[in-house]
Amino acid sequence: MEENEMAFDGITTKAIVDELQNIIGSKIDKIHEPDKNTIILGLYLNGKNYALNICIDSHNCRINLTTHQKENPLVAPNFCMLLRKHLLGGKISEITMQGLERVVKISIETINEFNEIEAKTLIIELMGKHSNVILTNQEEKIIDSMRHIDSRNSYREILPSRIYVFPKSDKLDFEQIKDFNVFNEKISNTEEQDLAKAISSTFTGISFSFAESAVKNRTKEQIYNYMKNLIQNSSNSKFMPIYKNDKISDYVLQYAEQKHNDFELNFFIDDFYFERETRENFNNYKNNISRIVNETAKKYTKRLENMNSKLLECKDMDKYKIYGELITANLYRLSNEHSNSIQLENYYDNNNLITIPLDVKYAPNMNARRYFKKYSKLKNAFKIVSEQKLETEKEIDYIESIKYELESAITLDELKEISEEIKENAIFKEKIKKGKKNKNTKKAQKYKFSPIEYEIDGFKIYVGRNNKENDWLTLSFAQKTDIWFHTKDIHGSHVILKADKPISDDILVKAAEIAAKHSQAKESSNVPVDYCKVQYVKKPNGSKPGMVIFTNNKTLNVNPLKA
């Protein structure tokens, strides 16, 4: 089953809510909205601080205590400000849910401006793409919600001043099924292989993932008893989360005799979704950058193809010059008659006869002028296009270095640094402008360089993680007497060996192996690596990040698999 099919279902919600009974009485002292789908409530109870995470992302909706911090925007969004106005200083008096519907109600006692106790309710609807966070007053009138819904798109309105209406469901409440016969009747016409699907589509709050686990190696009656016992136990916290089929992309709940702590499921869910969201964010971010880089690469590759075609046209330019010269040299003996061609002795080729095509519309002298003009035009084009080709090849080489960076990146921060690099480079600007801009994006921070560090036999070796860090490592961090390494004619990282004591040949080889390991040739067994003192490495004016020239270098052939 694909990862995004995993559901935070009603059974999980019920078990989570049961654990959250331990925070009843806590005071709300912080409220944050780190992104458009997330609310974090900072809670204080009996000398301990907690953070309650409410997420309504369509694929990752959930409620749970969290220990993972999220970066908050510089300016709090409007809904966050409204929650602060109404709930800060309030005390949680009750946390409930109705049946297995994924709707959690948090009752909060607040003090109004008249110093009177006033009840507010924070309603969390965890229903995939229809998820929402809604704040109501004690008359169940909506104060506001994270997402507004009007009657044109729904059977109920989620708008300020409207009365809150509990979401409808066509499914049955499993807890209301009194015995096996009723259960069996509801799924009686279902084939064995479709039982999981039938259960999840018939009963509310039961995900296909849970149902699939429940039906495995069980009869229908055993399935009913298993589900009944498990759901009953979700009311007294006797749940243990386990990864499904030993895959971290999915999990199920099973009965446990005892729990290790009061919030075992909460913190399991916290880690599970944090890791999943981290992977998703990383992949999405990487895919967005890759799209921009690949589209730019395609554009410059096409440009290079056009240039090569143009240069191919220019290869005959000397022939047109010869045509013009031969016609001019023989004008004295040619008539002014217009013809399709003329045959002359070619004094550039031992006076062998050559047939020169002519434009019948013009006399021979005009044809000669036209050939000279064509030669001159192609000569100028050859010079200009040749220069443009060199620049284009440099641009393509730089784009390939960005591709290498993307392949090597393993953290979101590394991707963000690559994103900042391409934003600063003109060749990507056209593609970036076409993308959507995030209004909440903070101003780009100054680079905080943190190269990869090795220590071998007492020597420090540093490896750049991207082009900008490569420049900093080589041109700012390294001393002139340090040794610089880079794979020969292969995209890779700049590597610096600190030369603060005499360097043996063995250390040079090990540093070269590290340079090969951090390159596109890391899977090869024999990689050439150039090295020289840093003083011989220069950066040409106007060159792209990571691009340098060097002299006085030597080359080692090494095996990166040994590094």
Side-chain angles (χ1 to χ4, degrees):
M1 182 172 60
E2 293 184 7
E3 187 170 304
N4 61 7
E5 291 178 353
M6 208 291 300
F8 185 87
D9 62 14
I11 298 173
T12 304
T13 308
K14 187 172 183 180
I16 287 282
V17 166
D18 184 66
E19 286 190 349
L20 291 179
Q21 301 306 305
N22 292 303
I23 62 168
I24 288 177
S26 58
K27 180 181 178 181
I28 300 174
D29 58 5
K30 293 177 184 175
I31 301 176
H32 296 294
E33 188 178 334
D35 58 62
K36 65 180 182 178
N37 293 315
T38 306
I39 296 292
I40 304 289
L41 300 183
L43 309 175
Y44 180 81
L45 178 66
N46 298 330
K48 292 184 179 180
N49 292 302
Y50 301 93
L52 183 62
N53 174 58
I54 300 167
C55 177
I56 59 170
D57 176 78
S58 59
H59 295 301
N60 298 305
C61 58
R62 66 196 183 277
I63 178 172
N64 61 278
L65 293 178
T66 181
T67 59
H68 298 289
Q69 293 187 340
K70 287 191 174 184
E71 190 175 3
N72 294 305
L74 294 174
V75 179
N78 292 336
F79 187 64
C80 180
M81 294 298 290
L82 178 130
L83 291 182
R84 288 176 180 177
K85 174 184 174 182
H86 287 273
L87 301 183
L88 275 180
K91 186 174 74 171
I92 295 178
S93 60
E94 195 176 28
I95 303 176
T96 60
M97 63 181 289
Q98 184 175 311
L100 292 181
E101 286 287 358
R102 291 174 296 166
V103 179
V104 179
K105 291 186 176 183
I106 302 177
S107 301
I108 302 161
E109 293 180 354
T110 62
I111 304 296
N112 64 21
E113 62 268 27
F114 303 110
N115 207 31
E116 299 170 336
I117 294 178
E118 196 170 48
K120 305 280 175 61
T121 303
L122 195 62
I123 302 170
I124 299 100
E125 298 183 345
L126 304 172
M127 303 182 296
K129 65 180 180 180
H130 302 294
S131 298
N132 209 342
V133 179
I134 305 160
L135 180 65
T136 65
N137 62 18
Q138 53 196 8
E139 286 83 32
E140 295 193 339
K141 187 178 289 186
I142 296 172
I143 298 172
D144 208 345
S145 60
M146 210 163 182
R147 294 173 182 164
H148 290 174
I149 303 172
D150 60 36
S151 57
R152 292 173 298 176
N153 302 313
S154 174
Y155 61 89
R156 60 180 187 148
E157 289 187 318
I158 305 297
L159 295 170
S161 300
R162 305 296 197 274
I163 296 296
Y164 174 74
V165 176
F166 196 84
K168 293 178 182 177
S169 176
D170 295 329
K171 296 184 180 181
L172 302 175
D173 184 350
F174 181 83
E175 291 184 301
Q176 300 302 313
I177 304 298
K178 301 303 180 182
D179 56 49
F180 168 69
N181 291 331
V182 178
F183 172 79
N184 188 46
E185 180 184 338
K186 300 300 179 184
I187 58 170
S188 59
N189 296 323
T190 305
E191 296 294 332
E192 186 174 344
Q193 63 268 25
D194 296 325
L195 268 177
K197 186 176 180 181
I199 290 171
S200 62
S201 59
T202 302
F203 301 103
T204 187
I206 298 178
S207 65
F208 176 79
S209 179
F210 172 81
E212 189 179 43
S213 174
V215 303
K216 192 173 183 180
N217 299 322
R218 291 185 176 95
T219 65
K220 287 183 180 180
E221 188 165 4
Q222 287 172 333
I223 294 168
Y224 170 74
N225 290 328
Y226 171 79
M227 290 174 59
K228 184 178 180 181
N229 290 334
L230 199 62
I231 292 168
Q232 285 176 346
N233 283 319
S234 69
S235 298
N236 53 27
S237 299
K238 290 184 179 179
F239 256 155
M240 178 181 290
I242 59 167
Y243 288 117
K244 185 178 179 183
N245 300 327
D246 296 324
K247 294 180 181 178
I248 63 170
S249 62
D250 202 356
Y251 68 87
V252 292
L253 304 181
Q254 66 177 18
Y255 175 75
E257 291 293 338
Q258 62 179 14
K259 297 180 66 173
H260 298 98
N261 61 67
D262 291 339
F263 302 111
E264 186 171 348
L265 181 57
N266 269 266
F267 292 133
F268 173 89
I269 291 293
D270 183 38
D271 290 339
F272 175 87
Y273 280 99
F274 176 79
E275 291 168 9
R276 189 165 107 170
E277 286 179 332
T278 299
R279 290 195 303 271
E280 288 177 355
N281 290 339
F282 178 86
N283 291 333
N284 290 338
Y285 208 111
K286 185 175 182 177
N287 290 339
N288 287 337
I289 300 175
S290 296
R291 176 184 54 78
I292 293 170
V293 172
N294 289 333
E295 287 178 0
T296 305
K298 186 177 179 181
K299 169 186 169 183
Y300 276 82
T301 301
K302 183 67 176 176
R303 182 179 296 180
L304 185 62
E305 290 174 358
N306 292 337
M307 290 175 179
N308 286 332
S309 297
K310 190 68 177 177
L311 290 175
L312 198 61
E313 293 175 16
C314 295
K315 74 173 187 175
D316 290 334
M317 61 183 180
D318 289 332
K319 178 178 70 175
Y320 300 128
K321 180 184 177 184
I322 292 171
Y323 285 172
E325 289 178 349
L326 292 177
I327 294 172
T328 302
N330 288 279
L331 281 176
Y332 72 93
R333 61 189 185 92
L334 297 176
S335 68
N336 284 327
E337 290 183 4
H338 296 206
S339 60
N340 291 325
S341 64
I342 189 172
Q343 202 171 49
L344 299 172
E345 294 175 343
N346 184 1
Y347 49 76
Y348 289 107
D349 185 27
N350 297 321
N351 288 329
N352 288 321
L353 291 178
I354 183 173
T355 300
I356 301 174
L358 299 177
D359 191 328
V360 72
K361 293 185 292 185
Y362 303 104
N365 64 326
M366 285 300 298
N367 271 281
R369 288 184 188 178
R370 287 169 61 82
Y371 275 127
F372 283 130
K373 185 176 180 181
K374 191 170 186 177
Y375 163 74
S376 179
K377 183 178 179 181
L378 290 175
K379 181 182 178 183
N380 290 333
F382 182 81
K383 180 181 178 182
I384 294 170
V385 174
S386 295
E387 292 173 354
Q388 291 175 340
K389 180 180 177 181
L390 286 174
E391 288 302 313
T392 301
E393 287 174 336
K394 288 180 182 178
E395 302 287 21
I396 291 174
D397 189 56
Y398 174 63
I399 293 169
E400 289 300 316
S401 76
I402 296 291
K403 287 184 177 181
Y404 165 72
E405 288 181 22
L406 284 171
E407 290 170 4
S408 305
I410 57 174
T411 68
L412 192 59
D413 285 340
E414 288 176 349
L415 291 180
K416 288 178 179 178
E417 289 174 8
I418 297 170
S419 177
E420 288 301 321
E421 179 182 341
I422 69 173
K423 285 176 184 176
E424 294 170 9
N425 201 295
I427 67 174
F428 297 106
K429 282 183 179 177
E430 180 185 340
K431 298 299 179 185
I432 293 172
K433 284 178 182 177
K434 289 181 179 178
K436 293 181 180 178
K437 295 183 179 179
N438 186 354
K439 295 179 182 179
N440 294 323
T441 301
K442 294 185 179 180
K443 192 174 181 180
Q445 301 293 318
K446 262 193 169 182
Y447 275 92
K448 293 181 181 178
F449 297 110
S450 54
I452 301 167
E453 185 176 338
Y454 291 86
E455 185 167 351
I456 298 177
D457 298 338
F459 286 90
K460 296 279 190 181
I461 300 173
Y462 297 90
V463 181
R465 295 173 299 115
N466 54 61
N467 285 324
K468 292 184 77 72
E469 193 165 85
N470 285 337
D471 278 352
W472 173 82
L473 189 63
T474 300
L475 307 172
S476 300
F477 174 80
Q479 302 294 315
K480 289 185 178 180
T481 53
D482 293 339
I483 309 299
W484 176 88
F485 295 81
H486 194 281
T487 42
K488 185 179 183 68
D489 300 325
I490 300 168
H491 288 295
S493 299
H494 290 204
V495 174
I496 296 296
L497 169 63
K498 298 299 290 183
D500 45 14
K501 52 187 170 183
I503 298 172
S504 66
D505 290 344
D506 185 50
I507 290 298
L508 288 174
V509 170
K510 288 179 178 178
E513 287 173 348
I514 289 173
K517 177 183 176 181
H518 293 276
S519 77
Q520 286 184 327
K522 61 186 176 183
E523 301 297 332
S524 302
S525 59
N526 187 23
V527 181
V529 177
D530 290 328
Y531 70 98
C532 63
K533 286 187 176 181
V534 169
Q535 69 186 83
Y536 299 120
V537 182
K538 308 294 179 188
K539 187 170 186 66
N541 290 335
S543 61
K544 296 287 188 297
M547 302 299 174
V548 294
I549 56 176
F550 52 94
T551 55
N552 294 60
N553 60 291
K554 296 179 181 179
T555 304
L556 286 169
N557 287 286
V558 296
N559 184 354
L561 303 177
K562 292 183 178 180

